[in-house]
């Protein structure tokens, strides 16, 4: 033993258990430190049992997508919504079916609804005006045509109004409307002007109108008869006889008209 007065005696080391010799100390696992970092991702492997791990301070949030049912209903809604023009066309088609089936009142209602959706739908105006005229509602029929023309000038509407007025014997007004639609006139419309002018004793204009119509379709016997009458009224008998002769050859007339033409060409 060392002397009692020996300063700072060396400590006696404790006995070390043999089963701890050679074993490594606790591992320094960095998972706790990583868990507080913004770089943590949801796929980080779970820590081993018994090790405390803090919850991540940040997790990316996914944007919530629109439910499938909501998308589907939105698409269906867009497909079922029709434009005013498409809706008007659908109503017009329904009215046509009703008209052909003889359901006049129902067809009139459909045409009116079509025009509410699309006031510029010419075909609906012409069909509606025709049905109203056939039903004896002349004023309403004419109003449908003239209102449409005022909203948007159209040759077909003007000509239809002129023909309707001519049927009512309103010659001057009929001529005015026919002239508005001259750019879209057919030969038959021009011949109608010739007849109206002849009835108003405007024979020079009448003859020109008939000649213009016959230039497009020379086979019309009725127009040739009208031309002959206008030429005869002007005192142009030789030209009138030629027109009468052609009318007799090409026309399909009643017996009294045939007799008249035969006398004129004898």
């Amino acid at each position: 033993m060392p002397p009692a007065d020996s300063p700072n005696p060396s400590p006696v080391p404790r006995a070390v258990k043999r089963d701890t010799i050679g074993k490594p100390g606790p591992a320094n696992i960095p998972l706790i430190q990583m868990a507080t970092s913004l770089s943590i991702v949801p796929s980080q492997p779970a820590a081993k049992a018994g090790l405390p791990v803090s919850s991540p301070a940040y997790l990316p949030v996914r944007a919530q997508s629109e439910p499938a049912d909501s998308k589907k209903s939105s698409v269906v809604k867009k497909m079922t919504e029709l434009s005013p023009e498409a809706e008007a066309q659908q109503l017009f088609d329904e009215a046509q079916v009703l008209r052909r089936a003889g359901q006049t009142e129902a067809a009139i209602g459909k045409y009116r609804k079509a025009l509410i959706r699309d006031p510029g739908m010419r075909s609906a105006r012409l069909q509606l005006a025709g049905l109203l005229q056939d039903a004896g509602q002349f004023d309403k029929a004419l109003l449908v045509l003239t209102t449409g023309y005022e909203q948007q000038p159209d040759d077909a509407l003007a000509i239809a109004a002129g023909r309707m007025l001519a049927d009512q014997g309103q010659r001057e007004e009929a001529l005015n409307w026919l002239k508005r639609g001259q750019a879209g006139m057919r030969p038959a419309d021009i011949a109608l002007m010739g007849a109206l002018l002849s009835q108003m004793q405007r024979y020079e204009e009448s003859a020109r109108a008939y000649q213009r119509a016959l230039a497009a379709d020379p086979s019309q016997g009725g127009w040739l008869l009208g031309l002959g009458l206008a030429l005869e009224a002007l005192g142009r008998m030789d030209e009138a006889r030629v027109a009468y002769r052609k009318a007799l050859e090409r026309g399909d007339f009643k017996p009294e008209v045939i007799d008249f033409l035969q006398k004129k060409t004898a």
Side-chain angles (χ1 to χ4, degrees):
M1 289 182 66
D5 57 354
S6 175
N8 299 324
S10 298
V12 179
R14 295 181 180 180
V16 178
K17 295 183 179 179
R18 295 184 60 84
D19 57 356
T20 61
I21 297 176
K23 286 188 177 182
N28 184 19
I29 299 175
L31 187 61
I32 297 174
Q33 182 180 358
M34 288 176 63
T36 62
S37 171
L38 294 180
S39 65
I40 189 70
V41 293
S43 60
Q44 177 69 32
K48 294 181 181 179
L51 293 179
V53 181
S54 302
S55 299
Y58 169 82
L59 289 176
V61 180
R62 283 186 184 178
Q64 294 183 353
S65 59
E66 188 179 351
D69 291 344
S70 175
K71 289 182 178 180
K72 184 177 179 181
S73 62
S74 177
V75 172
V76 171
K77 185 177 179 182
K78 287 181 179 179
M79 290 176 66
T80 55
E81 285 180 353
L82 296 175
S83 65
E85 292 79 9
E87 194 173 354
Q89 184 61 51
Q90 190 176 63
L91 289 164
F92 176 81
D93 293 340
E94 292 171 3
Q96 291 287 80
V97 172
L98 291 167
R99 181 180 63 81
R100 295 188 191 102
Q103 300 181 39
T104 304
E105 288 301 322
I108 287 174
K110 290 286 186 180
Y111 286 130
R112 288 192 185 281
K113 287 181 180 179
L115 288 173
I116 291 172
R117 301 296 188 280
D118 183 7
M121 193 175 195
R122 178 181 64 184
S123 54
R125 286 195 179 277
L126 293 172
Q127 293 289 348
L128 176 58
L131 287 181
L132 291 171
Q133 185 182 21
D134 293 342
Q137 302 179 47
F138 168 76
D139 291 338
K140 290 182 180 180
L142 184 63
L143 184 62
V144 168
L145 297 172
T146 56
T147 300
Y149 186 88
E150 288 168 2
Q151 292 175 350
Q152 183 177 348
D154 184 277
D155 292 341
L157 295 178
I159 292 167
R163 284 187 161 276
M164 194 174 291
L165 287 161
D167 289 342
Q168 296 296 312
Q170 301 182 34
R171 299 178 188 123
E172 191 70 46
E173 193 65 18
L175 277 172
N176 290 337
W177 276 100
L178 288 170
K179 287 177 181 178
R180 294 182 192 186
Q182 279 194 19
M185 275 189 171
R186 299 163 300 176
D189 302 319
I190 301 170
L192 174 60
M193 288 188 69
L196 292 170
L197 289 163
S198 183
Q199 292 168 12
M200 298 169 67
Q201 299 183 5
R202 294 163 61 175
Y203 299 116
E204 191 70 46
E205 295 172 75
S206 174
R208 286 199 298 268
Y210 276 123
Q211 287 168 341
R212 182 182 165 197
L214 286 162
D217 187 357
S219 66
Q220 295 294 327
W223 303 352
L224 287 162
L225 172 59
L227 174 60
L229 291 170
L231 291 170
E232 185 177 352
L234 291 169
R236 296 156 62 177
M237 288 304 302
D238 291 340
E239 294 176 74
R241 287 191 187 94
V242 172
Y244 288 145
R245 189 176 297 112
K246 290 180 180 179
L248 190 59
E249 293 169 356
R250 302 171 189 177
D252 184 14
F253 301 109
K254 294 179 179 180
E256 57 269 25
V257 178
I258 294 174
D259 185 58
F260 168 82
L261 291 172
Q262 287 175 341
K263 289 178 180 178
K264 290 292 183 180
T265 56

